[in-house]
Amino acid sequence: MAAALRRAVHRAPTDSAPGPAEAGVLLLDQDLRLLSENPAAQLWRDELAGSGAELPIAVLEVAARGRGAALPAYGRIRGRSGRWLSVHASPLSGGQCPAPLAVTMHPAPAADVAEVLLLAYGLTPRERDVLARVVAGLPSRAIAMELHITAATVQDHLKSVFAKTGVRSRRELVATMLDL
């Protein structure tokens, strides 16, 4: 299952079009029924569920978590084209009682997608620390100094990361991590 998740995370988008330039904004009532949306939201909904469909289940799940929450709910969702979207949901204040819920959808930042990828590969926190510094271009000695470990320990972590990600070199590793 983990291998399938890793393949899915790395699947290249089938459509090179970047989608709408603006965020999609949905306004939902307390029962998570759509009250209003901007044109970009319709395009993003189509990307997630297909034309004319009800709200995608993944959007409803984020909205349900955001309903009545003190902090906005957040999720990353893979669209049909292979693009990753960030979905945020937060209750609005003032006006009507009960207050409606605002949901925004926009392309997920690469860092957010990388986080999903790191979890899919099952990297330990220390392996993620080492990997972040490798991606930043630091040599093993500098990584060791920053993390207060030996250069040999850095190499051990890198060997483990290579095995988990199926690469053989730092260059392949960086390419794998940045080719989201």
Side-chain angles (χ1 to χ4, degrees), residues 25-89:
V25 181
L26 303 167
L27 188 61
L28 308 179
D29 68 13
Q30 283 294 306
D31 295 322
L32 304 181
R33 289 185 301 244
L34 182 63
L35 297 173
S36 185
E37 66 184 332
N38 70 349
Q42 179 59 54
L43 293 172
W44 289 126
R45 283 198 314 125
D46 290 348
E47 166 70 12
L48 293 173
S51 185
E54 293 295 319
L55 289 176
I57 192 74
V59 172
L60 288 172
E61 189 275 328
V62 173
R65 284 189 288 121
R67 183 176 42 195
L71 296 172
Y74 175 71
R76 290 170 295 272
I77 303 168
R78 187 98 190 222
R80 291 180 310 129
S81 71
R83 283 183 240 146
W84 283 90
L85 301 178
S86 290
V87 178
H88 297 258

Side-chain angles (χ1 to χ4, degrees), residues 38-171:
N38 70 349
Q42 179 59 54
L43 293 172
W44 289 126
R45 283 198 314 125
D46 290 348
E47 166 70 12
L48 293 173
S51 185
E54 293 295 319
L55 289 176
I57 192 74
V59 172
L60 288 172
E61 189 275 328
V62 173
R65 284 189 288 121
R67 183 176 42 195
L71 296 172
Y74 175 71
R76 290 170 295 272
I77 303 168
R78 187 98 190 222
R80 291 180 310 129
S81 71
R83 283 183 240 146
W84 283 90
L85 301 178
S86 290
V87 178
H88 297 258
S90 179
L92 300 174
S93 60
Q96 303 176 19
C97 199
L101 185 69
V103 177
T104 60
M105 299 180 287
H106 54 85
D112 288 357
V113 178
E115 182 182 327
V116 172
L117 184 62
L118 296 177
L119 292 172
Y121 280 118
L123 300 183
T124 67
R126 186 54 103 185
E127 289 168 347
R128 291 191 300 252
D129 291 342
V130 169
L131 176 59
R133 286 157 176 85
V134 168
V135 170
L138 295 178
S140 293
R141 187 172 281 159
I143 295 170
M145 287 178 55
E146 276 194 23
L147 298 179
H148 306 290
I149 58 179
T150 67
T153 302
V154 170
Q155 290 306 312
D156 289 341
H157 286 305
L158 277 174
K159 286 178 192 174
S160 178
V161 171
F162 288 175
K164 289 178 179 181
T165 58
V167 301
R168 295 184 184 156
S169 69
R170 285 178 179 234
R171 194 161 101 194

Side-chain angles (χ1 to χ4, degrees), residues 9-13 78 82 84 109-111 113-114 117 175-180:
V9 169
H10 271 298
R11 188 183 73 217
R78 187 98 190 222
W84 283 90
V113 178
L117 184 62
T176 297
M177 292 301 117
L178 297 181
D179 185 27
L180 306 170

